[in-house]
């Protein structure tokens, strides 16, 4: 049982998945920082010095000066500013993943183009049907085909 678990845990796909999750977590932190520290401050400045992470609605009807004060008072709040930040995080991550997958698919298509298979057939000049390359008569219209030197078969002997 331990041997089976070791084989399962050490499969290439599992290790690749673990690496992807770790890198994804780190990438998520970078995107969150980009949104909170770079994207949202200029947007807040353009909209009249609004700090989106501090936007909230107090659900108990009591006005609070900031979200921190409302949290200290254990007031129920609707934090729509944090929601806006999270939606922007998601949109940026989705956009980056979209472009990454698009590039990968484009590169894969170039690599996966198989070479054209060698054609072992020719077209009948009478009916244009596809017939074997070494055929001397068309199996569809029974027309006799001209043979080249390479088409000649050895003579049958008894």
């Amino acid at each position: 049982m331990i041997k089976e678990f070791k084989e399962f845990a050490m499969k290439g796909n599992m290790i690749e998945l673990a690496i992807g999750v770790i890198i994804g977590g780190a990438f998520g932190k970078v995107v969150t920082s980009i949104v909170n520290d770079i994207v949202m401050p200029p947007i807040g400045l353009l909209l009249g010095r609004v700090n989106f992470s501090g936007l909230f609605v107090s659900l108990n009807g009591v006005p609070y000066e900031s979200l921190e004060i409302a949290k200290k008072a254990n007031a129920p709040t609707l934090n729509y500013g944090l929601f806006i930040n999270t939606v922007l995080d998601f949109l940026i991550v989705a956009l980056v993943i979209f472009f990454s997958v698009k590039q990968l698919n484009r590169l894969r298509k170039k690599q996966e183009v198989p070479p054209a298979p060698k054609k072992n057939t020719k077209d009948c000049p009478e009916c244009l049907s596809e017939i074997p390359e070494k055929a001397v008569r068309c199996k569809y219209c029974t027309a006799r085909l001209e043979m080249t030197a390479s088409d000649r078969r050895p003579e049958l002997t008894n």
Side-chain angles (χ1 to χ4, degrees):
M1 190 163 164
I2 293 173
K3 182 181 175 184
E4 287 180 43
F5 176 74
K6 185 178 176 182
E7 288 176 14
F8 170 76
M10 292 302 174
K11 282 186 178 178
N13 293 345
M14 291 292 279
I15 293 171
E16 291 170 6
L17 179 63
I19 291 169
V21 167
I22 291 167
I23 290 174
F27 180 71
K29 290 178 182 179
V30 169
V31 170
T32 300
S33 176
I34 289 171
V35 169
N36 292 337
D37 303 328
I38 295 173
V39 174
M40 294 310 285
I43 292 174
L45 183 65
L46 289 173
L47 296 176
R49 299 186 185 269
V50 175
N51 177 7
F52 279 87
S53 61
L55 296 177
F56 71 100
V57 172
S58 175
L59 298 177
N60 64 2
V62 178
Y64 296 96
E65 291 183 30
S66 69
L67 181 59
E68 292 78 29
I69 294 173
K71 284 187 177 189
K72 285 180 183 175
N74 288 325
T77 58
L78 184 67
N79 305 322
Y80 65 92
L82 293 174
F83 176 73
I84 291 171
N85 284 350
T86 304
V87 168
L88 284 174
D89 279 353
F90 169 76
L91 291 175
I92 290 172
V93 169
L95 191 67
V96 168
I97 290 173
F98 170 75
F99 284 119
S100 299
V101 170
K102 187 174 180 173
Q103 282 298 104
L104 285 173
N105 287 340
R106 195 177 71 134
L107 292 173
R108 279 190 186 150
K109 285 181 183 176
K110 287 181 182 177
Q111 292 175 353
E112 291 179 2
V113 174
K118 184 181 174 188
K119 191 175 179 183
N120 292 331
T121 60
K122 61 183 177 182
D123 292 334
C124 172
E126 295 291 325
C127 68
L128 302 177
S129 298
E130 194 172 280
I131 56 175
E133 189 175 339
K134 296 191 183 233
V136 292
R137 191 177 291 275
C138 177
K139 67 180 179 180
Y140 299 105
C141 70
T142 68
R144 187 140 179 88
L145 306 171
E146 291 184 31
M147 294 192 321
T148 63
S150 65
D151 289 337
R152 302 233 186 264
R153 295 186 201 161
E155 295 291 324
L156 293 175
T157 58
N158 288 339

